[in-house]
Amino acid sequence: MEQYEPEPLTPVQLAAMRRSLRNGRASLSRRSLLRASAGGALAAGGLGALSACGIPAAGKTQGGVTAEDHSAKEKRINFSNWTEYMDIDESEKRHPTLDAFTKRTGIKVSYTEDINDNNEFFGKVKPQLAAGQDTGRDIIVLTDWLAGRLIRLGWVQKLDPANLPHAYANLSSQFRSPDWDPGRAYSYPWQGISTVIAYNKKALDGIEVTSVSDMLDNPKLKGRIGFLTEMRDSVGMTLLDMGKDPAKFTDDDYDAAIARLQKAVDKGQIRRFTGNDYTSDITKGDFAACIAWAGDVVQLKADSPDVDFIIPDSGYITSTDNMLIPNKARHKTNAERLMDYYYEPAVAAELAAYINYVCPVDGVKPHLAKIDEDAANNPLIIPDKDMAAKSHSFRLLSGKEETAYEEKFAKLTGA
């Protein structure tokens, strides 16, 4: 298989990475978000090493490299995931669904929350992956754009459908065939991440906000609008509002979206670009409306009666965090069994009740209703057909596009 030399990160890409680590979606743990002080962030570290490692350019390969599977003799799995992204019994500090899997199969799961940012984690595993070595992990969870890059590099293994009957049958249609992994040959979603419009009813005081255009154009909202520092979310929602498909846009479309946002910045309509710290702005009413992540909004709504959300008629951006099996993993079959286990609706419901992100598993609702009826009826967790139909993904970018687009976005946000 052809090997690819890493390209150094540009200053713009490094700035985007630092934004993500400082106040992006990775900066605060999912369940502890509302317990943290405004603007607080986890200590992520590792930037010095990342400056040198870079992210390789995507290229065509023949697929992942298999290794001898020790699953039959070694009844275990090494699973790396994001922080606070698994159900937990707080009193006993254990994970009920993982314990149930081990009891059923005899396979022990070594579960590690060592992913705090896509780029940071990639810096940890890249040397082994590039050298064709075992990373010591059987399952890793990465956001779609990086998952797609690893697939194109040939650094993750093709899945065996025979070991994934529940996943194949129960994967929600909106997640079935992303452009970076058509037909889900190499990955299955762990959870979906929806980008919506959040608003504060009291701050709006009767002003109607149903679209991105309402946010950008209504002079009564000047200085009270927030957008995200994550390029794909802010630009993607703007593209949709302009009638463009984020999965098929051109360079000219992107430039037009940037110009639309720049106009709002210049006239003071947008108060600021934020990461997770928008939760404080929208709760206090400093933002009347903002682009927000649905998992946060679920928690905000529970604590603040003034906060709610809308899905624009033009649609919304959805991304996914995805389970993959890296090259040379020792326990591929065991890993596939665990992946499939989380596509059993009853198990997926237990996970969804804790995480509050978009569940990618069909048939979950009646099981979730037995645990938490409000969660089962929340379209931010279980999208109905109308909401699912409005879901759009931001297309996979080439290395050249990513550099150019991030540079333009950085100039817009003042990063």
Side-chain angles (χ1 to χ4, degrees), residues 27-281:
S27 68
L28 295 175
S29 66
R30 290 159 168 79
R31 293 294 293 191
S32 64
L33 171 66
L34 299 181
R35 296 195 296 270
S37 60
L42 296 175
L47 279 174
L50 282 171
S51 301
C53 78
I55 295 180
K60 296 181 180 179
T61 73
Q62 298 302 312
V65 177
T66 59
E68 183 180 356
D69 192 348
H70 299 267
S71 293
K73 294 181 179 180
E74 299 178 3
K75 296 291 186 179
R76 60 177 179 268
I77 301 168
N78 296 315
F79 186 176
S80 283
N81 204 348
W82 294 69
T83 56
E84 303 285 347
Y85 220 12
M86 178 68 74
D87 58 304
I88 187 170
D89 184 324
E90 297 284 1
S91 62
E92 300 182 22
K93 300 299 180 184
R94 63 184 184 84
H95 302 292
T97 57
L98 289 177
D99 290 348
F101 175 80
T102 297
K103 184 176 180 180
R104 181 199 294 186
T105 64
I107 299 170
K108 295 182 179 180
V109 183
S110 177
Y111 182 73
T112 308
E113 295 181 336
D114 60 345
I115 304 178
N116 195 55
D117 175 83
N118 286 288
N119 287 305
E120 180 190 27
F121 181 75
F122 188 77
K124 294 179 184 178
V125 299
K126 176 195 161 290
Q128 294 100 322
L129 291 171
Q133 299 171 352
D134 179 13
T135 65
R137 299 166 174 89
D138 300 302
I139 298 178
I140 56 177
V141 178
L142 299 175
T143 304
D144 45 21
W145 62 269
L146 184 55
R149 191 170 289 261
L150 262 66
I151 291 169
R152 292 172 66 183
L153 285 167
W155 287 357
V156 293
Q157 298 188 51
K158 194 169 186 178
L159 302 174
D160 184 350
N163 295 327
L164 295 154
H166 295 97
Y168 181 81
N170 297 328
L171 175 60
S172 297
S173 58
Q174 72 180 101
F175 300 119
R176 280 195 174 269
S177 194
D179 63 350
W180 50 270
D181 186 16
R184 291 286 180 181
Y186 294 88
S187 70
Y188 269 94
W190 178 249
Q191 295 290 291
I193 305 156
S194 297
T195 304
V196 300
I197 296 176
Y199 63 89
N200 185 301
K201 301 172 189 175
K202 186 179 292 185
L204 283 179
D205 192 25
I207 299 172
E208 186 176 46
V209 171
T210 62
S211 67
V212 170
S213 290
D214 290 338
M215 297 171 65
L216 294 177
D217 297 335
N218 191 332
K220 294 180 180 179
L221 297 176
K222 182 178 179 179
R224 297 194 291 146
I225 294 300
F227 274 70
L228 292 167
T229 55
E230 299 297 331
M231 180 269 287
R232 289 167 176 81
D233 295 302
S234 287
V235 174
M237 291 292 282
T238 305
L239 284 168
L240 284 170
D241 187 71
M242 297 170 66
K244 302 298 182 180
D245 185 350
K248 299 177 182 178
F249 67 89
T250 65
D251 286 348
D252 288 343
D253 295 333
Y254 184 88
D255 289 344
I258 291 292
R260 178 108 167 84
L261 290 169
Q262 186 66 61
K263 181 180 178 181
V265 169
D266 292 343
K267 67 181 182 180
Q269 189 77 3
I270 296 176
R271 183 184 183 94
R272 66 190 186 104
F273 289 83
T274 74
N276 277 117
D277 48 326
Y278 69 80
T279 56
S280 175
D281 293 89

Side-chain angles (χ1 to χ4, degrees), residues 274-341:
T274 74
N276 277 117
D277 48 326
Y278 69 80
T279 56
S280 175
D281 293 89
I282 196 70
T283 301
K284 292 188 297 184
D286 291 341
F287 284 163
C290 65
I291 303 299
W293 290 303
D296 297 344
V297 177
V298 172
Q299 298 176 44
L300 288 170
K301 279 172 58 67
D303 281 17
S304 175
D306 291 328
V307 175
D308 211 332
F309 75 98
I310 61 103
I311 303 296
D313 288 339
S314 59
Y316 64 101
I317 294 293
T318 296
S319 56
T320 49
D321 286 332
N322 309 274
M323 297 179 284
L324 306 104
I325 300 176
N327 284 355
K328 299 300 180 94
R330 288 179 63 88
H331 313 109
K332 182 174 184 285
T333 298
N334 290 346
E336 289 167 338
R337 291 181 68 183
L338 183 62
M339 292 168 70
D340 193 62
Y341 168 74

Side-chain angles (χ1 to χ4, degrees), residues 364-370 372-379 381-383:
V364 163
K365 189 170 184 176
H367 298 277
L368 184 55
K370 295 176 183 178
D372 185 338
E373 190 169 353
D374 288 341
N377 292 318
N378 191 329
I381 299 174
I382 308 293

